[in-house]
Amino acid sequence: MPAPDGPLSRARPGRERIMAAIRTAAVTEFSLHGLKGTSTQAIAARAGLTKPQLHYYIAGKEELYEELLMQVLHAWKVVFSFEDASDPATVLGNYIRKKLDHAIDSPEMSRLFTREILDGGRNLDRYWPNARAWTQNKIDVINGWIARGQMRPLDARILLMHIWAMTQSYADYAIQTRVMLGLPPDAPIDREPIARELVAFVLNGCGIKA
């Protein structure tokens, strides 16, 4: 069945290009308004489609939202793993830097998750068991460092939550960050001084020599 008439269908771009435009538009709308506050009309307009064209490619906003939300969560599982558990300074330093990079480079993807939490997290029931398991793996690694005397005794779960809070701030409060740094709204952020301070702060708090 051909796509409905319109500028994009006449140009005949590939399906993947159109789906990429839809997903990008949906991430922006969902991160701003959440699932309930986002309309398919708004997604279509942002993607450069008519509403009938949009519904040729997606069944509805709920399915698209779930796909994007799970995409965020899967990416976090892959990107924010502890790659080498032997040296806490290296592992935690890399972990913090990757979290900060993601918050600065993909703030709307991060805010999509934050918006879901603010809306009550009703679409995360399937995610939480896996999230607890992934977190427990990191806790076990940190507790191993503590047992071997590589860092001071602490609550590993709270440490991880603190790292997430500090790095996630640069996505959720991106506007405030630029205001406080005296930057224009679209100016790039020099993340290296931020990363150095965050890494030093965490390592010193854990009793780890950089």
Side-chain angles (χ1 to χ4, degrees), residues 103-104 107-108 111 168-181 183-185 187 189:
I104 293 175
E108 289 183 333
R111 287 196 292 267
Q168 189 71 16
S169 170
Y170 289 92
D172 294 347
Y173 298 98
I175 294 175
Q176 174 181 274
T177 297
R178 285 178 167 80
V179 169
M180 292 300 160
L181 293 175
L183 297 173
I189 294 174

Side-chain angles (χ1 to χ4, degrees), residues 16 24 27 34 39 57 64 68 99 102 160 164 177-178 205:
E16 286 306 311
T24 299
V27 166
S39 67
Y57 292 99
L64 181 59
L68 293 171
K99 271 294 286 117
H102 189 274
L160 290 171
W164 272 76
T177 297
R178 285 178 167 80

Side-chain angles (χ1 to χ4, degrees), residues 38-146:
T38 295
S39 67
T40 52
Q41 179 63 56
I43 296 172
R46 190 177 287 274
L49 294 161
T50 66
K51 190 173 179 179
Q53 282 179 311
L54 177 70
H55 284 289
Y56 173 80
Y57 292 99
I58 67 168
K61 70 174 184 177
E62 291 79 10
E63 292 84 353
L64 181 59
Y65 180 79
E66 182 175 356
E67 174 194 337
L68 293 171
L69 185 59
M70 291 304 113
Q71 179 182 324
V72 172
L73 302 176
H74 178 72
W76 285 353
K77 174 193 175 184
V78 173
V79 174
F80 305 137
S81 60
F82 281 6
E83 296 173 355
D84 178 6
S86 60
D87 176 28
T90 300
V91 173
L92 289 176
N94 289 340
Y95 181 70
I96 292 166
R97 285 178 177 274
K98 285 187 291 186
K99 271 294 286 117
L100 181 66
D101 284 344
H102 189 274
I104 293 175
D105 293 335
S106 305
E108 289 183 333
M109 294 295 281
S110 292
R111 287 196 292 267
L112 191 152
F113 178 79
T114 299
R115 173 60 62 180
E116 171 62 27
I117 295 295
L118 293 174
D119 288 344
R122 288 178 291 275
N123 296 286
L124 293 172
D125 288 345
R126 293 193 297 113
Y127 164 70
W128 293 130
N130 289 331
R132 285 192 289 267
W134 302 334
T135 302
Q136 187 61 51
N137 289 338
K138 294 181 177 66
I139 290 170
D140 293 342
V141 170
I142 294 171
N143 285 338
W145 294 333
I146 294 171

